[in-house]
Amino acid sequence: MNDTISPSPSTLWVFGFGSLIWKPDFPEPPIDARDCYTRGWVRRFWQASTDHRGTPEAPGRVLTLVQADADESTALCRGRAYGFRSAQVQAVLAYLDVREQDGYVRRYIPIWDAHDDTLITAHALVYVADERSERFVKDEQQRRLECIAAVIATARGPSGDNVTYVLRLQQALREMQVTDAHIEQVIERLRHAHHLALYDSHFRA
């Protein structure tokens, strides 16, 4: 794991944009948790998963953040902010470093409160893909929505099937009144090309 900016010594803020929204499972309860957003970043299923939603033989796809293109530069990426006291930081970082060990690195980015637009911190911890890692999907063909959906439709790993990861995230974002275009586009292709209705019934069960 690599750091770019040191966090505050008194409080650590963690920005969750993927499974940390609906399955944080922190070893220490946060002292604060709220809806938030960051600017200049977008979600993409450009990270291969071999330890959670896939295997080394058949990797799944999970989210990372990438810097927005010029036409997306004003977009906001909504997520959840979790605050921890200094006494909790060591345990939280140890947990996250293991959870995000498959090709992610630490970064620190600004986040704002989603309800009143106040700056929460300029240095929220977020784990994003290490673009030098083989887990980061660089091939443009493999970044196509159809290719992403084809992988997600069949992938399964120690944390469960890949489709559930996508649907849980969609559900959590909708509860926050957030629609993410990339996630919705992937789900739309899953429905049409891979009969997602079957997964929907399983997911609700």
Side-chain angles (χ1 to χ4, degrees), residues 155-177:
R156 174 180 289 273
S159 295
D161 67 81
N162 211 165
V163 170
T164 294
Y165 170 91
V166 178
L167 294 178
R168 291 285 187 195
L169 182 57
Q170 181 196 45
Q171 180 186 53
L173 289 173
R174 286 183 172 179
E175 289 172 357
M176 295 165 58
Q177 300 183 334

mmCIF file of all heavy atoms in Angstrom, residues 155-177:
data_model
loop_
_atom_site.group_PDB
_atom_site.id
_atom_site.type_symbol
_atom_site.label_atom_id
_atom_site.label_comp_id
_atom_site.label_asym_id
_atom_site.label_seq_id
_atom_site.Cartn_x
_atom_site.Cartn_y
_atom_site.Cartn_z
ATOM 1 N N ALA A 155 -18.985 -14.842 -12.617
ATOM 2 C CA ALA A 155 -17.896 -14.871 -11.627
ATOM 3 C C ALA A 155 -18.422 -15.103 -10.213
ATOM 4 O O ALA A 155 -19.488 -14.620 -9.833
ATOM 5 C CB ALA A 155 -17.099 -13.572 -11.681
ATOM 6 N N ARG A 156 -17.633 -15.826 -9.457
ATOM 7 C CA ARG A 156 -17.933 -16.092 -8.046
ATOM 8 C C ARG A 156 -16.620 -16.270 -7.304
ATOM 9 O O ARG A 156 -15.676 -16.858 -7.832
ATOM 10 C CB ARG A 156 -18.796 -17.350 -7.902
ATOM 11 C CG ARG A 156 -19.030 -17.780 -6.453
ATOM 12 C CD ARG A 156 -19.886 -19.035 -6.367
ATOM 13 N NE ARG A 156 -21.262 -18.758 -6.732
ATOM 14 C CZ ARG A 156 -22.194 -18.340 -5.883
ATOM 15 N NH1 ARG A 156 -21.880 -18.156 -4.600
ATOM 16 N NH2 ARG A 156 -23.412 -18.116 -6.278
ATOM 17 N N GLY A 157 -16.571 -15.764 -6.063
ATOM 18 C CA GLY A 157 -15.357 -15.899 -5.265
ATOM 19 C C GLY A 157 -15.691 -16.140 -3.807
ATOM 20 O O GLY A 157 -16.854 -16.392 -3.446
ATOM 21 N N PRO A 158 -14.694 -16.036 -2.925
ATOM 22 C CA PRO A 158 -14.910 -16.301 -1.505
ATOM 23 C C PRO A 158 -15.976 -15.418 -0.862
ATOM 24 O O PRO A 158 -16.610 -15.828 0.118
ATOM 25 C CB PRO A 158 -13.534 -16.027 -0.887
ATOM 26 C CG PRO A 158 -12.570 -16.281 -1.995
ATOM 27 C CD PRO A 158 -13.267 -15.817 -3.235
ATOM 28 N N SER A 159 -16.190 -14.212 -1.373
ATOM 29 C CA SER A 159 -17.199 -13.311 -0.798
ATOM 30 C C SER A 159 -18.572 -13.464 -1.449
ATOM 31 O O SER A 159 -19.509 -12.780 -1.059
ATOM 32 C CB SER A 159 -16.739 -11.850 -0.925
ATOM 33 O OG SER A 159 -15.584 -11.623 -0.160
ATOM 34 N N GLY A 160 -18.676 -14.336 -2.439
ATOM 35 C CA GLY A 160 -19.966 -14.565 -3.085
ATOM 36 C C GLY A 160 -19.923 -14.283 -4.568
ATOM 37 O O GLY A 160 -18.864 -14.034 -5.151
ATOM 38 N N ASP A 161 -21.113 -14.343 -5.192
ATOM 39 C CA ASP A 161 -21.146 -14.145 -6.635
ATOM 40 C C ASP A 161 -21.052 -12.671 -6.988
ATOM 41 O O ASP A 161 -21.420 -11.788 -6.213
ATOM 42 C CB ASP A 161 -22.405 -14.776 -7.243
ATOM 43 C CG ASP A 161 -23.676 -14.079 -6.807
ATOM 44 O OD1 ASP A 161 -24.000 -13.032 -7.384
ATOM 45 O OD2 ASP A 161 -24.349 -14.590 -5.884
ATOM 46 N N ASN A 162 -20.556 -12.412 -8.180
ATOM 47 C CA ASN A 162 -20.271 -11.059 -8.620
ATOM 48 C C ASN A 162 -21.540 -10.244 -8.846
ATOM 49 O O ASN A 162 -21.571 -9.031 -8.614
ATOM 50 C CB ASN A 162 -19.435 -11.126 -9.905
ATOM 51 C CG ASN A 162 -18.483 -9.972 -10.089
ATOM 52 O OD1 ASN A 162 -17.574 -10.046 -10.920
ATOM 53 N ND2 ASN A 162 -18.649 -8.898 -9.362
ATOM 54 N N VAL A 163 -22.607 -10.914 -9.296
ATOM 55 C CA VAL A 163 -23.856 -10.194 -9.552
ATOM 56 C C VAL A 163 -24.403 -9.593 -8.262
ATOM 57 O O VAL A 163 -24.888 -8.451 -8.260
ATOM 58 C CB VAL A 163 -24.895 -11.122 -10.212
ATOM 59 C CG1 VAL A 163 -26.261 -10.453 -10.260
ATOM 60 C CG2 VAL A 163 -24.451 -11.489 -11.623
ATOM 61 N N THR A 164 -24.334 -10.329 -7.176
ATOM 62 C CA THR A 164 -24.832 -9.814 -5.905
ATOM 63 C C THR A 164 -24.082 -8.557 -5.494
ATOM 64 O O THR A 164 -24.669 -7.598 -4.975
ATOM 65 C CB THR A 164 -24.734 -10.886 -4.809
ATOM 66 O OG1 THR A 164 -25.631 -11.954 -5.132
ATOM 67 C CG2 THR A 164 -25.109 -10.324 -3.449
ATOM 68 N N TYR A 165 -22.781 -8.529 -5.716
ATOM 69 C CA TYR A 165 -21.981 -7.329 -5.438
ATOM 70 C C TYR A 165 -22.564 -6.119 -6.161
ATOM 71 O O TYR A 165 -22.736 -5.042 -5.581
ATOM 72 C CB TYR A 165 -20.539 -7.586 -5.873
ATOM 73 C CG TYR A 165 -19.629 -6.375 -5.884
ATOM 74 C CD1 TYR A 165 -18.879 -6.033 -4.770
ATOM 75 C CD2 TYR A 165 -19.491 -5.591 -7.034
ATOM 76 C CE1 TYR A 165 -18.024 -4.937 -4.787
ATOM 77 C CE2 TYR A 165 -18.648 -4.495 -7.059
ATOM 78 C CZ TYR A 165 -17.915 -4.171 -5.936
ATOM 79 O OH TYR A 165 -17.075 -3.083 -5.962
ATOM 80 N N VAL A 166 -22.903 -6.308 -7.438
ATOM 81 C CA VAL A 166 -23.419 -5.202 -8.241
ATOM 82 C C VAL A 166 -24.807 -4.782 -7.759
ATOM 83 O O VAL A 166 -25.101 -3.588 -7.598
ATOM 84 C CB VAL A 166 -23.468 -5.599 -9.730
ATOM 85 C CG1 VAL A 166 -24.051 -4.462 -10.570
ATOM 86 C CG2 VAL A 166 -22.076 -5.968 -10.226
ATOM 87 N N LEU A 167 -25.670 -5.749 -7.502
ATOM 88 C CA LEU A 167 -27.041 -5.435 -7.112
ATOM 89 C C LEU A 167 -27.115 -4.819 -5.718
ATOM 90 O O LEU A 167 -27.925 -3.922 -5.469
ATOM 91 C CB LEU A 167 -27.914 -6.685 -7.186
ATOM 92 C CG LEU A 167 -28.142 -7.257 -8.582
ATOM 93 C CD1 LEU A 167 -28.978 -8.532 -8.501
ATOM 94 C CD2 LEU A 167 -28.813 -6.235 -9.496
ATOM 95 N N ARG A 168 -26.288 -5.305 -4.801
ATOM 96 C CA ARG A 168 -26.258 -4.708 -3.466
ATOM 97 C C ARG A 168 -25.841 -3.246 -3.535
ATOM 98 O O ARG A 168 -26.380 -2.389 -2.833
ATOM 99 C CB ARG A 168 -25.291 -5.479 -2.562
ATOM 100 C CG ARG A 168 -25.738 -6.863 -2.185
ATOM 101 C CD ARG A 168 -26.821 -6.837 -1.145
ATOM 102 N NE ARG A 168 -27.122 -8.176 -0.668
ATOM 103 C CZ ARG A 168 -28.199 -8.504 0.027
ATOM 104 N NH1 ARG A 168 -29.083 -7.563 0.336
ATOM 105 N NH2 ARG A 168 -28.407 -9.739 0.421
ATOM 106 N N LEU A 169 -24.862 -2.978 -4.380
ATOM 107 C CA LEU A 169 -24.402 -1.602 -4.512
ATOM 108 C C LEU A 169 -25.481 -0.730 -5.132
ATOM 109 O O LEU A 169 -25.729 0.388 -4.670
ATOM 110 C CB LEU A 169 -23.134 -1.549 -5.345
ATOM 111 C CG LEU A 169 -22.528 -0.161 -5.519
ATOM 112 C CD1 LEU A 169 -22.236 0.474 -4.163
ATOM 113 C CD2 LEU A 169 -21.275 -0.223 -6.356
ATOM 114 N N GLN A 170 -26.126 -1.229 -6.167
ATOM 115 C CA GLN A 170 -27.222 -0.462 -6.771
ATOM 116 C C GLN A 170 -28.302 -0.156 -5.739
ATOM 117 O O GLN A 170 -28.799 0.974 -5.655
ATOM 118 C CB GLN A 170 -27.827 -1.234 -7.939
ATOM 119 C CG GLN A 170 -28.963 -0.480 -8.636
ATOM 120 C CD GLN A 170 -29.793 -1.390 -9.518
ATOM 121 O OE1 GLN A 170 -30.157 -2.508 -9.128
ATOM 122 N NE2 GLN A 170 -30.092 -0.932 -10.722
ATOM 123 N N GLN A 171 -28.668 -1.144 -4.947
ATOM 124 C CA GLN A 171 -29.687 -0.957 -3.929
ATOM 125 C C GLN A 171 -29.252 0.089 -2.901
ATOM 126 O O GLN A 171 -30.031 0.985 -2.535
ATOM 127 C CB GLN A 171 -29.965 -2.282 -3.225
ATOM 128 C CG GLN A 171 -31.029 -2.195 -2.145
ATOM 129 C CD GLN A 171 -31.154 -3.495 -1.379
ATOM 130 O OE1 GLN A 171 -30.173 -4.034 -0.866
ATOM 131 N NE2 GLN A 171 -32.374 -4.016 -1.305
ATOM 132 N N ALA A 172 -27.997 -0.006 -2.436
ATOM 133 C CA ALA A 172 -27.507 0.936 -1.433
ATOM 134 C C ALA A 172 -27.480 2.355 -1.979
ATOM 135 O O ALA A 172 -27.852 3.309 -1.280
ATOM 136 C CB ALA A 172 -26.113 0.512 -0.969
ATOM 137 N N LEU A 173 -27.070 2.509 -3.218
ATOM 138 C CA LEU A 173 -27.039 3.844 -3.818
ATOM 139 C C LEU A 173 -28.446 4.399 -3.991
ATOM 140 O O LEU A 173 -28.684 5.596 -3.763
ATOM 141 C CB LEU A 173 -26.308 3.803 -5.158
ATOM 142 C CG LEU A 173 -24.790 3.591 -5.084
ATOM 143 C CD1 LEU A 173 -24.216 3.399 -6.481
ATOM 144 C CD2 LEU A 173 -24.110 4.758 -4.382
ATOM 145 N N ARG A 174 -29.372 3.566 -4.384
ATOM 146 C CA ARG A 174 -30.750 4.035 -4.539
ATOM 147 C C ARG A 174 -31.331 4.474 -3.209
ATOM 148 O O ARG A 174 -32.106 5.432 -3.151
ATOM 149 C CB ARG A 174 -31.606 2.939 -5.177
ATOM 150 C CG ARG A 174 -31.327 2.757 -6.667
ATOM 151 C CD ARG A 174 -32.223 1.719 -7.300
ATOM 152 N NE ARG A 174 -32.057 1.697 -8.749
ATOM 153 C CZ ARG A 174 -32.713 0.866 -9.548
ATOM 154 N NH1 ARG A 174 -33.570 -0.014 -9.052
ATOM 155 N NH2 ARG A 174 -32.506 0.906 -10.861
ATOM 156 N N GLU A 175 -30.959 3.786 -2.128
ATOM 157 C CA GLU A 175 -31.417 4.208 -0.807
ATOM 158 C C GLU A 175 -30.840 5.565 -0.430
ATOM 159 O O GLU A 175 -31.417 6.284 0.392
ATOM 160 C CB GLU A 175 -31.026 3.151 0.233
ATOM 161 C CG GLU A 175 -31.834 1.861 0.100
ATOM 162 C CD GLU A 175 -31.333 0.742 0.996
ATOM 163 O OE1 GLU A 175 -30.310 0.950 1.688
ATOM 164 O OE2 GLU A 175 -31.948 -0.335 1.000
ATOM 165 N N MET A 176 -29.717 5.918 -1.048
ATOM 166 C CA MET A 176 -29.113 7.235 -0.855
ATOM 167 C C MET A 176 -29.625 8.234 -1.892
ATOM 168 O O MET A 176 -29.145 9.359 -1.951
ATOM 169 C CB MET A 176 -27.587 7.135 -0.967
ATOM 170 C CG MET A 176 -26.932 6.297 0.108
ATOM 171 S SD MET A 176 -25.205 5.834 -0.314
ATOM 172 C CE MET A 176 -24.456 7.446 -0.552
ATOM 173 N N GLN A 177 -30.574 7.765 -2.734
ATOM 174 C CA GLN A 177 -31.123 8.580 -3.828
ATOM 175 C C GLN A 177 -30.035 8.949 -4.835
ATOM 176 O O GLN A 177 -29.967 10.075 -5.334
ATOM 177 C CB GLN A 177 -31.832 9.823 -3.294
ATOM 178 C CG GLN A 177 -33.000 9.490 -2.378
ATOM 179 C CD GLN A 177 -33.747 10.718 -1.901
ATOM 180 O OE1 GLN A 177 -33.214 11.818 -1.820
ATOM 181 N NE2 GLN A 177 -35.024 10.531 -1.589
#
